[in-house]
Amino acid sequence: MKFKKPLLFIAALVASFLIASALTTVSKPSNYSESYPAVVCPPTLNGLTSQISISSRKTQYQRLENRSSKTLPFNVLRFPVSKDSLVITAEGTTPLIWQSRAGSWAGGTLCSGPSAAAWFVGGTANVTTRGRLMLINSGLSDAIVDIQSFTENAKQPIKSVNLKSKSYMQLSIDSLAPGDKALAVQVIPRSGRVNAYMIDEQGAGLKALGGDFVNSYPTAAKELVIPAIPNQLPKKGQTASTSHTLRILTPGDVNTTFTLEVLSADGSFVPVGLSSQSIEAGVVTEFSLAPKISASAFAVRITSAEPVVASISSSVTIGGHKDFVWSTATPPLTPMSIAVTGLSPLIAFAGDAIAVKVQAKLINGKTVTTVVKGSDIATWRVPANARSITILATSKEVFAGALIASSNGYGFIPIQNGSALTRVEIPNSNIRVLNP
């Protein structure tokens, strides 16, 4: 009996240590490191001029092929790029790049982080093409990229290319499927920090036929929304307005049917011939689209039994010469910021019930907040002296795209996040690692 109390005390002490250790192991909180990955802008190819819109003069950048890790501030809000691709520490506000060929065409795209895959539905590989596919590896190791092309004739063999670290290459679009007209291209990086961009430029001899960036979309889907399609109304004495062509592909092995719905200020409707329309698997198909509407912009919603990718090309006239625009699908709208210095885009929002709170930050530092509401489609013109726009809040299933006109041409920009905030868990120190 005289040993009973000491034994009970020792047992209670051991139990306390065990419980304390268990509680420490279970309740210790996890720590995270949050950051915005650097974004990459496409290079400026021969004969083109380009400018990048920046939201702050303090934003840092470095040239892609510079082996040093040193970065420099832009010191301006619109930065001309003579050649090299730029890697930008954007810190949450996506830069926008606008490129043009004098008197011929203009177009733009967002500078963005690397992606796992990208679909480009646009371009042609026949004798009129001058288009290029640009591949950029901003990482410190070499990259391998697979390129899968589809045309109106068939699925093409996969083309694989090697890309050195911190470098870019350009491929002529006609090398992907020589002689074919309608292209849809999927770029799939197998390794490396890879970005891909496509320019569709066309000409006949010395005559320029226009051009534009073909913006990418990550995956095929059963429902797509193309939110901003230009619709130039006929001038007095003219009988025809802008012509449009739908390009669509189901990349799987099963044929499918799709329905296209036009969303406009005049209401929503399904054009004749585009309800439950059948398309063949693995073959790019095109349809003419000529909606009778009075608005300068409209949207389309495509629903399909199988996943599809799609885009719409539109003929436009700007400054007395002809150009064309590729309008592509966008993901649902989320809170984000995009730099727009030097541009004044018309932003079209598409959805069943649109309620978007958007803020424009002006060059003088002031802000202007607007609530855009509507159904089917609603438009908002960004102030001419804005340096950035921020989507503060949005209703569900709203999609947005921007239409921009300049003296050289007309372009489409998807309104989406080019650099999303990433979170990485920081391992917790634990003495049990050393004493298991």
Side-chain angles (χ1 to χ4, degrees):
M1 293 294 294
K2 64 180 179 179
F3 298 108
K4 186 173 181 181
K5 289 185 178 180
L7 287 174
L8 289 174
F9 175 76
I10 293 172
L13 187 62
V14 170
S16 298
F17 275 116
L18 292 174
I19 293 171
S21 299
L23 289 174
T24 301
T25 302
V26 172
S27 62
K28 193 165 186 177
S30 297
N31 296 317
Y32 295 92
S33 173
E34 294 183 333
S35 64
Y36 289 96
V39 299
V40 178
C41 297
T44 304
L45 304 183
N46 290 337
L48 302 182
T49 59
S50 66
Q51 291 183 314
I52 298 175
S53 297
I54 309 297
S55 64
S56 170
R57 294 179 175 86
K58 296 180 180 179
T59 301
Q60 301 281 318
Y61 79 96
Q62 64 173 272
R63 300 192 181 277
L64 174 72
E65 296 181 337
N66 185 358
R67 293 289 165 176
S68 171
S69 60
K70 183 180 179 180
T71 60
L72 299 171
F74 279 103
N75 293 324
V76 294
L77 294 177
R78 204 166 189 219
F79 187 78
V81 184
S82 59
K83 182 181 178 182
D84 200 4
S85 176
L86 299 187
V87 181
I88 301 174
T89 308
E91 295 297 338
T93 302
T94 303
L96 186 158
I97 184 168
W98 186 254
Q99 294 192 356
S100 63
R101 187 182 297 278
S104 176
W105 67 271
T109 190
L110 299 177
C111 304
S112 61
S115 58
W119 275 101
F120 297 93
V121 185
T124 181
N126 61 17
V127 294
T128 65
T129 187
R130 297 173 183 171
R132 282 85 74 202
L133 176 67
M134 294 168 283
L135 303 176
I136 305 168
N137 179 14
S138 59
L140 299 178
S141 59
D142 293 353
I144 302 174
V145 183
D146 292 335
I147 304 170
Q148 176 69 76
S149 302
F150 297 80
T151 72
E152 72 275 18
N153 292 317
K155 181 178 180 179
Q156 305 297 309
I158 290 180
K159 182 174 184 176
S160 297
V161 298
N162 296 319
L163 195 56
K164 292 182 179 180
S165 63
K166 300 200 73 173
S167 69
Y168 70 89
M169 68 166 56
Q170 53 176 310
L171 301 172
S172 296
I173 292 180
D174 57 2
S175 68
L176 303 178
D180 288 354
K181 178 186 176 184
L183 274 179
V185 179
Q186 186 182 28
V187 176
I188 309 171
R190 277 196 273 159
S191 62
R193 193 179 190 275
V194 177
N195 291 73
Y197 297 94
M198 178 183 283
I199 288 178
D200 178 22
E201 186 175 7
Q202 297 180 26
L206 298 176
K207 184 179 180 181
L209 300 177
D212 196 16
F213 270 93
V214 181
N215 285 281
S216 65
Y217 193 74
T219 58
K222 293 183 179 180
E223 181 173 324
L224 298 174
V225 175
I226 302 175
I229 303 164
N231 185 57
Q232 288 186 332
L233 301 175
K235 295 181 180 179
K236 187 176 182 180
Q238 294 178 337
T239 57
S241 58
T242 307
S243 63
H244 311 277
T245 301
L246 167 69
R247 183 176 295 187
I248 188 168
L249 164 74
T250 176
D253 298 324
V254 180
N255 296 348
T256 191
T257 60
F258 76 92
T259 296
L260 181 145
E261 181 184 12
V262 171
L263 308 176
S264 75
D266 298 332
S268 61
F269 60 93
V270 177
V272 176
L274 293 179
S275 176
S276 299
Q277 177 65 246
S278 61
I279 54 174
E280 185 179 348
V283 175
V284 179
T285 309
E286 292 189 333
F287 299 89
S288 295
L289 182 64
K292 302 298 182 182
I293 56 176
S294 60
S296 60
F298 67 99
V300 300
R301 180 189 291 118
I302 299 171
T303 54
S304 173
E306 296 292 329
V308 297
V309 291
S311 65
I312 289 180
S313 65
S314 305
S315 64
V316 293
T317 301
I318 189 88
H321 68 271
K322 291 185 177 181
D323 193 11
F324 60 83
V325 179
W326 282 105
S327 297
T328 56
T330 65
L333 195 62
T334 59
M336 70 185 75
S337 293
I338 296 176
V340 293
T341 306
L343 303 169
S344 181
L346 175 71
I347 299 182
F349 301 92
D352 292 332
I354 302 166
V356 180
K357 187 177 183 180
V358 58
Q359 183 182 83
K361 185 175 182 179
L362 308 183
I363 292 176
N364 60 12
K366 296 181 179 180
T367 59
V368 177
T369 302
T370 304
V371 177
V372 182
K373 293 185 176 182
S375 59
D376 294 333
I377 192 169
T379 59
W380 173 67
R381 174 71 67 178
V382 177
N385 58 341
R387 69 165 68 180
S388 66
I389 58 169
T390 300
I391 305 298
L392 299 175
T394 177
S395 51
K396 292 183 178 179
E397 294 301 306
V398 174
F399 305 81
L403 297 173
I404 302 175
S406 71
S407 58
N408 292 313
Y410 210 103
F412 164 89
I413 304 288
I415 302 300
Q416 61 187 59
N417 208 343
S419 179
L421 184 66
T422 60
R423 173 185 281 190
V424 178
E425 185 174 358
I426 301 174
N428 291 316
S429 59
N430 192 328
I431 193 63
R432 294 178 65 186
V433 175
L434 301 177
N435 294 307

